[in-house]
Every structure is written in C-alpha cells, then in structure tokens.
Amino acid sequence: MEIALVGVGKIAIDQHIPSISASPDWELSATVSRHGSVDGVEAFTDFDEMLEKRRDIRVISLCLPPVPRFDYAAKAIRAGRHVMLEKPPGATLAECHALEALAREHRVSIYATWHSREADKVAAAKAWLADKTLRKLHVTWKEDVRRWHPGQEWIWEPGGMGVFDPGINALSILTEILPVNVHLKSADLDVPENRQTPIGARLDFFHPNGAEVIADFDWRQTGDQIWQIEAVTDEGTLTLLEGGARIQIDGVEDALVSDNPLAGEYPRLYANMAKLLSTGGIDMDLRPMVHVSDALALGRRNAVEPFHE
C-alpha cells in the first residue's frame, strides 16, 4: 500500500521512514515537508498539492507537532484518505473527537498511535497483571530535555504539553497494562518562569480498588535516564524498565516471555495500521490524553527557575 509521510523531522527520520521501508505492507510514495525529503521519494512542500496530484495515495501518516495536526488530518479525511496520527493525536481532546467523528462520516480509518504500547514487554506485563490484585503502582519517567528534544521550541508553547510529551508515553503504557481504568485526583506541575508548559509533574490517581497509583515526570534529569513502571501486587512485583523494553518479576530479568513477532515499536504501529485498513477499523483510544488534560486542568502550578537550551 502506498503511503505519504507528512512532516520529515527527527521522529520521521529515526523511526517512521525506516519502519515503512522495512515493512512488507507499505511503500513510501510521497513526503510533505518544508525542510526535509527522502531520496527517491516524490517530495511536496504543500499538502493540498500532494492530495490533488497523488490521489492514488490512500493513506497519510502525520508526523507534525500536535497544534497544526488537526487541519491536516481533517483535510486528508475529507479527501477520503485514511489517517495515522503520531502521538499525541492532537492538541486537544475536542480536536480528537472531531477527527474520529469525521472519519466515521467519511468511512475511513483513523489510528491514534501510542508507540510505547508496542514496546517489547508491554503485552507480557498486561497479561501478568490481568488477574493480580494491585497494591501500588509507581511511574518514574525522567529524562534530559536537552538531549532528546533539542531546539524544539513548540513543546514549550500552549498545546506542546511540555514534560507530558514524553510523559504521555508512560500514561499510554499505564492505561494499556491496568485491567481497570484510573482517573486523576491531583497534580503538581513545575513550570519554568519563562515557559508555558511544565518541565516536571507529579500525579496522583484514583484506583477503583484502592491501590496507590502515582507518577513522577521530570525533564531535568542528568546522568542515567529513567523510564520505569513498578507495580506491586499480592503475588509479587512487576517492573517495566527502559520504557517497556525490559521486564522483571521480583527482580528476575525476563521472567515473562513476549510473543510479539515483530521487533520494534514503530514497525508494530505500521502493522497495526495495515490491519485496521483490512477491517475498515478505527482506533482512537484517548485515555492517555485524558490524563494529561486532567493534569493541566487540576494541576497546582509551581513556578521554577527559567529554562534555557
């Protein structure tokens, strides 16, 4: 199937383009970007022009920042194209609901991708937790923004989400592996004096069975980067490490074996999209984004020192 990639930035170069190239399902047939291109692939700088000239391309993968993404997605859907959305799927929940409604109206598939859910050990963690009684779950997601998001000023502007840009990856895993839904009770947000979005956050969730569920996000981490979820249950402690790439049960590495045949988060996303198209399906799970929206609504804002690159 032919696919067009809109936005040729770091995530597209590092993940999307190699995943499409290696996939038996997809052929990258066009790109849309003001600054980037792919050798041997037809390049456009105007999205409307691509939609008009390449009507043979039925699937659009959007790798733009969240704020402008709605307009592009809506245009694609109205043109009868199927749409794949990089995380987060939009700048607001209302935008995402509108896109899903529009996709249903035009009978096309739309996929809100959460790449961290496709990490190697997430499915195994979900299966192990399914019949356990959870006592406590602690998310620790701490990384260096200068290392992973250099020069990306949009993340500090309204709609950019700040530390929730990586934090939403943890929330996507949280909502995937827990057998029940949780919702936010309270939050503390550290917002640099010269920025619009938080650089750190602490979240406290309500669990229907009384378990303690908390999350700590920080973009000021130096040294070792930490992407960890620890779940204490009545039958032992499960720990996901390195964003879900590794798993431990009571400290024993690889105690659970994953049976996911594909290697890599983004190859699995593109395989999922191919399956959605084969069934005419829609996947717009917005639970991770609900938690971020609630944190920004409920969070107590603490002014912290200015942030400079």
Side-chain angles (χ1 to χ4, degrees):
M1 293 175 284
E2 293 185 293
I3 190 169
L5 188 63
V6 182
V8 185
K10 179 175 173 54
I11 192 66
I13 293 168
D14 291 349
Q15 299 292 348
H16 288 265
I17 293 167
S19 298
I20 294 169
S21 298
S23 171
D25 299 311
W26 301 103
E27 177 185 348
L28 182 59
S29 296
T31 62
V32 181
S33 175
R34 289 176 295 175
H35 308 294
S37 61
V38 178
D39 289 344
V41 177
E42 187 174 11
F44 295 86
T45 57
D46 183 84
F47 186 55
D48 292 333
E49 181 185 7
M50 189 278 294
L51 289 175
E52 177 62 28
K53 289 187 175 180
R54 294 301 308 269
R55 297 188 181 189
D56 55 313
I57 298 176
R58 308 307 304 165
V59 184
I60 310 296
S61 181
L62 293 177
C63 302
L64 303 162
V67 169
R69 198 177 300 152
F70 174 82
D71 290 339
Y72 283 79
K75 282 183 179 180
I77 292 168
R78 291 191 178 104
R81 315 300 170 90
H82 309 282
V83 173
M84 187 172 176
L85 300 166
E86 176 59 82
K87 68 85 188 173
T92 69
L93 286 168
E95 286 184 354
C96 296
H97 288 303
L99 289 177
E100 180 176 355
L102 195 63
R104 294 187 184 280
E105 177 186 347
H106 288 267
R107 298 184 178 181
V108 298
S109 293
I110 188 169
Y111 180 23
T113 69
W114 301 106
H115 67 83
S116 289
R117 286 183 174 176
E118 302 302 331
D120 283 345
K121 305 301 182 182
V122 170
K126 178 180 181 178
W128 190 83
L129 288 170
D131 61 353
K132 308 295 189 300
T133 299
L134 185 68
R135 306 298 187 192
K136 179 179 180 179
L137 186 143
H138 188 184
V139 175
T140 307
W141 224 254
K142 298 183 178 183
E143 62 183 62
D144 184 353
V145 63
R146 292 181 176 92
R147 176 177 172 183
W148 300 102
H149 302 270
Q152 297 181 20
E153 288 296 312
W154 61 268
I155 58 180
W156 299 111
E157 296 299 322
M161 295 190 181
V163 75
F164 289 114
D165 181 74
I168 205 168
N169 294 332
L171 297 174
S172 73
I173 296 175
L174 174 73
T175 51
E176 178 70 8
I177 65 175
L178 287 183
V180 297
N181 287 322
V182 297
H183 67 261
L184 195 71
K185 292 195 296 185
S186 63
D188 279 281
L189 310 177
D190 294 338
V191 183
E193 292 177 348
N194 63 332
R195 302 293 181 172
Q196 296 292 314
T197 56
I199 198 169
R202 292 159 298 283
L203 311 182
D204 186 8
F205 294 90
F206 171 85
H207 187 282
N209 298 325
E212 179 184 0
V213 179
I214 55 177
D216 290 301
F217 300 145
D218 206 314
W219 249 355
R220 297 161 291 193
Q221 179 77 2
T222 57
D224 292 341
Q225 310 289 280
I226 304 172
W227 301 288
Q228 175 177 303
I229 298 177
E230 182 182 75
V232 180
T233 78
D234 59 336
E235 297 182 37
T237 297
L238 176 147
T239 307
L240 282 171
L241 301 159
E242 297 178 13
R246 294 169 50 210
I247 196 168
Q248 295 176 350
I249 304 295
D250 293 331
V252 178
E253 189 81 16
D254 280 337
L256 302 178
V257 178
S258 174
D259 60 356
N260 197 328
L262 285 175
E265 297 173 9
Y266 281 82
R268 290 171 185 146
L269 292 180
Y270 278 95
N272 291 345
M273 185 63 179
K275 292 176 184 176
L276 275 182
L277 292 183
S278 70
T279 61
I282 286 176
D283 187 343
M284 283 289 280
D285 183 3
L286 300 178
R287 289 177 296 165
M289 200 166 168
V290 168
H291 292 321
V292 173
S293 181
D294 286 354
L296 295 174
L298 289 175
R300 180 180 298 276
R301 283 161 171 78
N302 308 303
V304 297
E305 64 182 14
F307 172 82
H308 302 283
E309 280 281 348

